[in-house]
Amino acid sequence: MLKGKHIILGITGGIAAYKSVSLLRLLVKGGAEVQVVITPAGKEFITPVTLSALSGKPVVSEFFTANTGEWHSHVDLGLWADCMVIAPATASSIAKMANGVADNMLITTYLSAKSPVFIAPAMDLDMMAHPSTHRNIELLRSYGNNIIEPETGFLASGLTGKGRMEEPEKIVEVLDRFFEKNENQSLAGKKVLITAGPTYEAIDPVRFIGNYSSGKMGFALAAEASRRGAEVVLVSGPVSLDTPSGNIRRVDVRSAREMLAACESEFDTADIAIFCAAVADYAPEQVADRKIKRGDMPEMTLRLVRNPDIAATLGSRRRDGQTLVGFALETDNEMENGRSKLRRKNLDMVVVNSMRDAGAGFSGDTNKITVVTAEGDEKSFPLKSKSEVAADIIDCIEDLSV
């Protein structure tokens, strides 16, 4: 899948730069056209002569060539590339990328990149474990970058721990899967309806009942379905997320009833419906038309009424050929509750995750799931980024029709 691809290989100043030589060789061997961009510190670990000989291109390090004055345009590089890989990415360069400190050619190229960026951190275990590094990596992940997690192993310091750059062969596998996935148009001609985020159930004009859902999982599913060629309708509760690029039509709602109405208008023409939203089960029976003042009510009792069940409502009117998928975020008896939801709501598949699993709850950038089908099949996945989880879920949906 690398043949003919334009790849920027960014190299920063860490001892793991020696692995970049093997990575460059594998990329070129796979048929990619590679432009190396190296930081000044990176040249202390590996020479541009070696990199140029392997890539067949002059290595870019400075903004211009000193003896000729030739300008190296980071903007042009950003437009040229199909992807950018930064390996190794040191703690310093990660911090600069996370905070937009454009003081060298590699960082300005990163900031100008229009294509997906893959970052392979490499540093000693204490630097890797530092809260500032964690924060910067999570910032980069939240920007949409792909983090290739470092391995646990023997480090240059003589210590053993997490911080060892992933092996070049594994990085190439990640890129290969990325390009294969993006050229996969398996959902072309399909309409996919996806719900995402929380619902807000009003108490008065300024207060509501809600939950902690960020919408990230639903938005990742929308992006993945669109990448595979689907026409996507994304019905979203109140979230602070930008609509993913692609053939995605977003419908913003606030309450469960608004979400149901939006879904009902799209459901009959949908081939696949994924009910990922964290819909409030209950809403206040009465909504005050003015802000409730604390002084007016020494005590306050809310009478709640049950909201409509969106998945069950639409599951009861499904037509032949539709595929329906639900989510079950549980705190106990996860699999039992997930199977019950599958049956009660007439679904083909349910995605189960547990609040007891670290990294699998609301708001984060990762998830850990088990997929259960109506036929009784179960498949568990390890903790992954939500974009990777979205790909696993869509794969499972496609397997239902095989």
Side-chain angles (χ1 to χ4, degrees):
M1 301 304 298
L2 297 178
K3 188 174 181 179
K5 297 296 187 295
H6 294 170
I7 298 176
I8 297 172
L9 174 59
I11 302 174
T12 69
I15 187 61
Y18 79 91
K19 290 185 175 181
S20 301
V21 177
S22 296
L23 176 57
L24 173 57
R25 181 176 175 275
L26 290 170
L27 293 173
V28 172
K29 186 177 179 181
E33 186 178 344
V34 184
Q35 175 62 65
V36 176
V37 180
I38 191 169
T39 65
K43 291 190 289 185
E44 301 294 324
F45 292 88
I46 188 71
T47 68
V49 172
T50 299
L51 299 167
S52 179
L54 290 172
S55 68
K57 289 177 173 289
V59 172
V60 174
S61 180
E62 310 297 340
F63 292 106
F64 61 91
T65 303
N67 59 340
T68 65
E70 179 187 0
W71 177 255
H72 300 138
S73 172
H74 53 88
V75 175
D76 289 346
L77 280 174
L79 294 171
W80 170 83
D82 293 306
C83 78
M84 183 176 187
V85 186
I86 303 170
T90 61
S92 175
S93 290
I94 285 172
K96 290 178 180 180
M97 287 187 288
N99 295 284
V101 181
D103 65 348
N104 63 52
M105 186 66 183
L106 190 151
I107 305 301
T108 56
T109 301
Y110 159 74
L111 292 172
S112 299
K114 304 296 184 186
S115 57
V117 178
F118 295 81
I119 300 169
M123 63 198 76
D124 207 62
L125 74 165
D126 293 324
M127 298 175 73
M128 188 68 208
H130 197 278
S132 63
T133 303
H134 275 277
R135 181 201 64 192
N136 290 330
I137 288 176
E138 288 310 308
L139 266 176
L140 289 173
R141 201 192 304 272
S142 72
Y143 299 158
N145 296 293
N146 301 277
I147 307 299
I148 302 175
E149 291 288 342
E151 292 293 309
T152 298
F154 185 74
L155 304 170
S157 64
L159 301 174
T160 299
K162 185 173 182 179
R164 183 181 177 88
M165 187 180 109
E166 181 60 277
E167 295 303 316
E169 292 81 5
K170 294 290 184 66
I171 294 175
V172 170
E173 287 178 11
V174 170
L175 298 179
D176 215 38
R177 287 197 300 271
F178 165 75
F179 285 119
E180 181 178 17
K181 182 176 69 175
N182 276 268
E183 292 185 13
N184 173 12
Q185 295 292 293
S186 54
L187 294 180
K190 301 290 186 182
K191 177 179 174 179
V192 180
L193 172 64
I194 300 173
T195 66
T199 63
Y200 287 177
E201 310 301 330
I203 297 172
D204 63 20
V206 298
R207 300 181 180 91
F208 61 86
I209 296 172
N211 57 61
Y212 297 112
S213 174
S214 65
K216 291 178 180 178
M217 191 69 253
F219 276 58
L221 283 163
E224 182 63 28
S226 177
R227 273 195 293 269
R228 300 196 191 193
E231 171 198 351
V232 178
V233 178
L234 176 61
V235 180
S236 176
V239 298
S240 57
L241 298 174
D242 293 329
T243 306
S245 60
N247 186 15
I248 300 172
R249 177 163 53 89
R250 177 172 170 175
V251 181
D252 289 310
V253 299
R254 290 187 66 82
S255 69
R257 293 184 182 278
E258 289 177 358
M259 184 171 282
L260 174 59
C263 288
E264 285 181 321
S265 68
E266 302 287 347
F267 180 71
D268 290 342
T269 55
D271 299 289
I272 299 168
I274 306 175
F275 305 111
C276 184
V279 182
D281 292 322
Y282 295 90
E285 183 178 44
Q286 293 184 330
V287 179
D289 57 3
R290 292 183 297 175
K291 178 182 176 181
I292 300 170
K293 299 291 188 180
R294 181 171 59 179
D296 296 339
M297 301 177 64
E299 294 182 357
M300 181 178 181
T301 300
L302 282 179
R303 181 176 176 82
L304 303 179
V305 294
R306 186 176 295 175
N307 268 328
D309 187 322
I310 296 174
T313 299
L314 298 180
S316 67
R317 53 179 265 194
R318 62 182 297 172
R319 59 173 170 78
D320 290 342
Q322 284 183 309
T323 300
L324 273 56
V325 178
F327 274 67
L329 175 61
E330 305 292 341
T331 59
D332 59 275
N333 299 321
E334 291 87 352
M335 299 311 299
E336 180 182 341
N337 290 331
R339 294 188 198 99
S340 174
K341 179 174 285 191
L342 185 72
R343 293 189 298 270
R344 288 185 290 105
K345 303 191 179 188
N346 198 22
L347 305 175
D348 298 288
M349 190 176 101
V350 68
V351 179
V352 181
N353 58 339
S354 173
M355 289 291 288
R356 295 188 292 179
D357 288 328
F362 285 141
S363 300
D365 295 307
T366 57
N367 206 351
K368 181 181 179 183
I369 65 167
T370 297
V371 170
V372 183
T373 69
E375 286 73 28
D377 297 327
E378 294 183 11
K379 186 174 183 180
S380 296
F381 298 86
L383 187 71
K384 298 182 180 184
S385 69
K386 285 185 175 176
S387 60
E388 292 174 308
V389 173
D392 290 335
I393 292 170
I394 299 295
D395 285 343
C396 291
I397 292 172
E398 292 184 344
D399 288 343
L400 290 175
S401 60
V402 173

